[in-house]
Amino acid sequence: MYLPLIYKIFYDTQEYPFKEIVKEILGVEDLEKIHLVKEYDLVTREGDQKTHWHRLYYDNFEKFSLLYTDFVKHIQTRFGYEEIIYQKIPTFRAHLVGNLGVGEWHKDKTYNHGATEVNFWLPFTDTHDTNTIWLESQEDLEDYRPYDVKYGEILVFSGANLNHGNKINGTDSSRVSIDFRLVDPAKFVPNENKSVNGITSFTLGGYFETLRR
């Protein structure tokens, strides 16, 4: 039986002050209150990466990229890999109050991701209940539960194989997060299919890059 990976690890937010950089990129003082700045109709899968906040993040990714690459090196060293394949640009999520962060429940492999990818989910706001990610514990078990993850914590899981998603955010706090994928080079299979937004293929130099120590 396949037993997928779900656990939390921690990092130093002083060494990796992601929240402060994201606040600067988005031009806000309080990430938890960005729903008060702009409102959106309930997002769908086709539109969940097309908000004002997503455009700011992707258009200004160079402000984030050096720290992100250094962070991947930290994870690589922590797990003892001499070489690691990593997602070149981490995916940005904004789970606004009264809305969704991801438009549908899914497994990443439904969208052409490889089954050996490991997801790293980093919220920059403390998450709980309906503003966080929900996961099943084993593939197709559908025993979904929310994972409380605080800023400075990382949820590690097998997003390619586990159904996951979110519920309409009924809390009073928006959630802002990124997620990215790492792959053991020995298990990496290049895939010319495009990502869900049709921009890049799952190849080195496309969606992924290689990092060596």
Side-chain angles (χ1 to χ4, degrees):
M1 181 183 297
Y2 175 73
L3 297 176
L5 184 72
I6 307 176
Y7 62 91
K8 287 197 291 189
I9 59 177
F10 306 87
Y11 68 96
D12 186 345
T13 58
Q14 297 298 311
E15 186 175 1
Y16 299 102
F18 291 123
K19 184 174 187 175
E20 299 310 312
I21 294 175
V22 171
K23 285 165 61 176
E24 178 186 347
I25 288 174
L26 301 187
V28 298
E29 288 296 322
D30 190 347
L31 295 179
E32 292 87 348
K33 300 301 180 184
I34 63 172
H35 57 279
L36 300 177
V37 180
K38 284 186 177 292
E39 296 183 6
Y40 290 90
D41 293 336
L42 194 66
V43 299
T44 62
R45 186 200 64 76
E46 292 77 16
D48 62 17
Q49 285 284 303
K50 296 179 181 178
T51 73
H52 168 74
W53 309 115
H54 290 81
R55 287 195 299 273
L56 286 175
Y57 168 80
Y58 291 115
D59 287 349
N60 294 279
F61 181 69
E62 71 279 358
K63 295 181 180 180
F64 198 86
S65 61
L66 288 178
L67 188 65
Y68 169 62
T69 303
D70 187 60
F71 185 69
V72 172
K73 291 178 182 176
H74 167 72
I75 298 292
Q76 176 188 14
T77 301
R78 187 168 179 170
F79 282 83
Y81 282 98
E82 290 297 321
E83 180 182 0
I84 197 71
I85 292 173
Y86 72 101
Q87 182 177 335
K88 186 161 54 176
I89 300 177
T91 306
F92 178 82
R93 315 283 183 187
H95 192 180
L96 306 178
V97 170
N99 215 316
L100 296 169
V102 178
E104 66 180 5
W105 295 78
H106 65 283
K107 301 176 186 178
D108 290 357
K109 64 185 179 185
T110 303
Y111 301 138
N112 300 316
H113 284 269
T116 59
E117 296 175 15
V118 179
N119 295 52
F120 289 72
W121 190 77
L122 287 73
F124 305 135
T125 54
D126 292 351
T127 70
H128 67 287
D129 194 27
T130 54
N131 74 1
T132 193
I133 191 169
W134 289 59
L135 288 165
E136 60 182 358
S137 65
Q138 295 183 32
E139 187 167 12
D140 297 328
L141 193 58
E142 298 185 353
D143 58 337
Y144 302 107
R145 76 171 182 86
Y147 282 81
D148 294 356
V149 185
K150 298 182 180 299
Y151 179 47
E153 298 178 345
I154 306 170
L155 188 68
V156 184
F157 66 100
S158 179
N161 302 291
L162 293 177
N163 267 310
H164 57 285
N166 52 209
K167 298 192 175 185
I168 293 176
N169 184 353
T171 75
D172 61 359
S173 176
S174 288
R175 179 255 294 173
V176 174
S177 61
I178 61 166
D179 50 87
F180 62 90
R181 292 138 185 90
L182 300 182
V183 191
D184 182 338
K187 299 177 181 178
F188 179 67
V189 179
N191 184 344
E192 293 292 342
N193 287 314
K194 302 292 186 181
S195 61
V196 66
N197 292 312
I199 299 172
T200 53
S201 58
F202 295 102
T203 56
L204 295 178
Y207 194 86
F208 292 105
E209 292 284 5
T210 300
L211 194 61
R212 296 181 178 87
R213 280 203 272 175

